[in-house]
Amino acid sequence: EVQLVESGGGLVKPGGSLRLSCAASGFGFSGTWMSWVRQAPGKGLEWIGRIKSKTAGGTTDYAAPVKGRFTISRDDSKDTLYLQMNSLTTEDTAVYYCTAESSYYSGGASYIYFAYWGPGTLVTVSS
Amino acid sequence: DIQMTQSPSSLSASVGDRVTITCRASQSISSYLNWYQQKPGKAPKVLIYAASSLQSGVPSRFSGSGSGTDFTLTINSLQPEDFATYYCQQSYNTPLTFGGGAKVEIK
């Protein structure tokens, strides 16, 4: 059974830092592209960034609101995904979801979707 | 960035109704469109990927269609467990973007 479990959320002051972890099990973590998606209270879903598998280069990509402040990394030996968040503002208050991406190949194209999600961890930025 | 616009943002329907939610992309995204269902306090789950492919385990009353800029999620014979918020999401390029959501409520 696929499981993703986030941890590390909590209350942090504006300007502070926090590191989230996501423990993965039940699938080939090292070969899977992983993303973080967040949801502010009462709002919609927002993709914040992705890390590709090492075989795909292990590169990262970020949404503009977090670029330069957030860093996604992975430890394939521990099947764990990380999100380092620095210079936090109240706008970063949200539930943060870890997601595992899957690909569907058809007609020479690769269609990617968020196949698995963790239950989320709440990050509250407040003084 | 590709903007995803869903309509309606909310609707009221009865059990047994047919429900249609639309999603429009600000530029052509071919079939790089996914649909998710989210219930209160829970993580989203994928229903449809690549515009029209049904995720394993998802009831066949859910279907997706469209290509280019206009897409539709249809729920045939709405069931009590289908009352939720539905999001479309494009995977054509990064940043990956979601629509604003469509909340399906009980009439």
Side-chain angles (χ1 to χ4, degrees), chain A residues 4-76:
Chain A
L4 296 169
V5 180
E6 304 92 342
S7 60
L11 176 63
V12 61
K13 288 182 167 48
S17 298
L18 208 57
R19 188 176 86 153
L20 306 183
S21 299
C22 171
S25 61
F27 66 101
F29 179 79
S30 64
T32 301
W33 297 17
M34 301 292 295
S35 275
W36 288 95
V37 174
R38 70 182 178 184
Q39 186 169 36
K43 302 296 185 183
L45 301 168
E46 180 185 23
W47 176 80
I48 58 174
R50 154 205 279 165
I51 186 165
K52 295 181 179 179
S53 62
K54 293 243 178 353
T55 55
T59 55
T60 52
D61 200 357
Y62 299 95
V66 307
K67 196 168 187 178
R69 299 189 300 125
F70 289 12
T71 302
I72 298 173
S73 61
R74 63 192 301 158
D75 185 338
D76 291 344

Side-chain angles (χ1 to χ4, degrees), chain B residues 16 23 26 66 73 82 86 90:
Chain B
C23 177
S26 60
L73 173 70
D82 301 337
Y86 295 85
Q90 65 82 16

Side-chain angles (χ1 to χ4, degrees), chain A residues 39 61 109-110 112 114 117-118, chain B residues 32 34 36 38 43-44 91 94 96:
Chain A
Q39 186 169 36
D61 200 357
S110 172
I112 292 172
F114 302 122
W117 298 65
Chain B
Y32 293 88
N34 308 312
Y36 301 87
Q38 185 180 33
S91 60
T94 58
L96 306 177

Side-chain angles (χ1 to χ4, degrees), chain B residues 27-98:
Chain B
Q27 67 179 73
S28 177
I29 58 171
S30 184
S31 295
Y32 293 88
L33 191 283
N34 308 312
W35 290 98
Y36 301 87
Q37 177 194 65
Q38 185 180 33
K39 296 182 180 178
K42 300 294 186 183
K45 76 166 194 175
V46 63
L47 300 174
I48 302 286
Y49 57 90
S52 60
S53 295
L54 190 69
Q55 173 71 341
S56 175
V58 174
S60 59
R61 62 181 179 273
F62 291 92
S63 64
S65 64
S67 182
T69 59
D70 294 311
F71 302 87
T72 300
L73 173 70
T74 300
I75 311 172
N76 283 304
S77 188
L78 196 69
Q79 297 300 300
E81 59 267 31
D82 301 337
F83 292 95
T85 301
Y86 295 85
Y87 293 92
C88 62
Q89 174 251 326
Q90 65 82 16
S91 60
Y92 183 78
N93 63 14
T94 58
L96 306 177
T97 48
F98 291 88

Side-chain angles (χ1 to χ4, degrees), chain A residues 56 79 100:
Chain A
D79 287 353

